[in-house]
Amino acid sequence: MDQVVEQSKLPRRKPRRWLSPFWMRQFHTWHWMSSAICLVGMILFAITGITLNHAGSIEASPTVRTHEATLPADLLSQLRAAPRGQPADAPKDWLEGEFDIELDGRATEWTESELYVPLPRAGGDGWIAVDLDSGAAELEDTDRGAIAFLNDLHKGRDTGTAWSWFIDIFAGACVVFCVTGLLLLQIHARKRPSTWPIVGAGFIIPLLLIVFLMH
């Protein structure tokens, strides 16, 4: 007598995964590690994205500091004799001590009658001018506040080489975070039907805004 085996009692075959367990573990590891690296930076860039978007509505109260001094005669002579490029070491040291400012790596601009050193920095600006005839030296330093400082960090404005490297590394970590997140979405999409419609909305909504509402 033939035995009829009910279809429901047959062992179910597990669907074959397009990704091996090894790579699944790797993507999970890369995803959480990149998210840990990006966490603080992402919060910073998200907040400063809002402050930059509403920069016109956020009032700033810049603080301007000025200081005047007269370069000693011997140092003025050295400065006059220096090649048109960088000031001599002694006038540079005196300017740093007198104005409490760091001049290493600062570009120097010369005219026939003046030495000018721009002092741009994140969240502020400034300059030093030295009259080559009289030796009169003047510093003006402007501090635009904490929000301006954070906004300049977002833009990488006058932040130096180290911060520029940080932005590049942070951007790379964000790419790893997003790509591994996309791959993990692909893995779990079968159990979450709304996955791809939401991903599509994340692409279509900005596209529609750009095409129809951006002037």
Side-chain angles (χ1 to χ4, degrees):
M1 180 178 179
D2 295 337
Q3 295 181 351
V4 179
V5 181
E6 296 180 6
Q7 186 70 22
S8 60
K9 294 183 179 180
L10 290 176
R12 294 183 179 180
R13 293 183 179 180
K14 294 183 178 179
R16 296 184 62 183
R17 293 179 176 177
W18 64 277
L19 201 61
S20 68
F22 170 79
W23 284 111
M24 285 185 63
R25 291 193 299 269
Q26 290 300 310
F27 288 148
H28 276 95
T29 300
W30 296 347
H31 189 67
W32 78 256
M33 290 183 67
S34 60
S35 68
I37 293 173
C38 295
L39 176 61
V40 175
M42 186 72 75
I43 293 173
L44 170 65
F45 277 75
I47 292 174
T48 51
I50 295 173
T51 58
L52 283 169
N53 195 41
H54 298 277
S57 304
I58 300 174
E59 295 184 2
S61 300
T63 301
V64 181
R65 176 175 70 96
T66 60
H67 185 71
E68 296 180 355
T70 301
L71 199 67
D74 58 332
L75 298 182
L76 180 59
S77 299
Q78 293 182 40
L79 187 59
R80 289 171 178 170
R84 292 299 185 260
Q86 294 293 330
D89 290 338
K92 171 181 169 293
D93 293 340
W94 182 88
L95 290 170
E96 289 181 332
E98 180 67 27
F99 294 131
D100 189 24
I101 201 76
E102 179 63 49
L103 295 179
D104 286 339
R106 297 290 187 178
T108 305
E109 301 174 11
W110 292 78
T111 67
E112 293 183 357
S113 60
E114 184 181 66
L115 168 69
Y116 180 82
V117 184
L119 303 172
R121 58 184 174 82
D125 203 352
W127 49 265
I128 291 177
V130 180
D131 190 304
L132 298 180
D133 295 326
S134 65
E138 182 180 3
L139 165 73
E140 180 175 293
D141 182 74
T142 302
D143 186 348
R144 298 195 302 273
I147 293 179
F149 175 75
L150 294 175
N151 287 345
D152 284 345
L153 291 183
H154 183 109
K155 296 182 289 185
R157 174 184 177 272
D158 300 322
T159 52
T161 303
W163 186 258
S164 176
W165 275 102
F166 168 77
I167 292 178
D168 289 341
I169 295 171
F170 167 74
C174 286
V175 171
V176 173
F177 175 67
C178 293
V179 171
T180 54
L182 181 63
L183 293 171
L184 292 174
L185 285 176
Q186 170 65 32
I187 293 171
H188 299 292
R190 181 175 298 179
K191 297 180 181 179
R192 300 168 183 171
S194 62
T195 296
W196 297 123
I198 294 175
V199 172
F203 171 75
I204 294 173
I205 291 174
L207 180 63
L208 293 177
L209 293 175
I210 292 171
V211 173
F212 295 106
L213 297 179
M214 187 176 292
H215 300 288

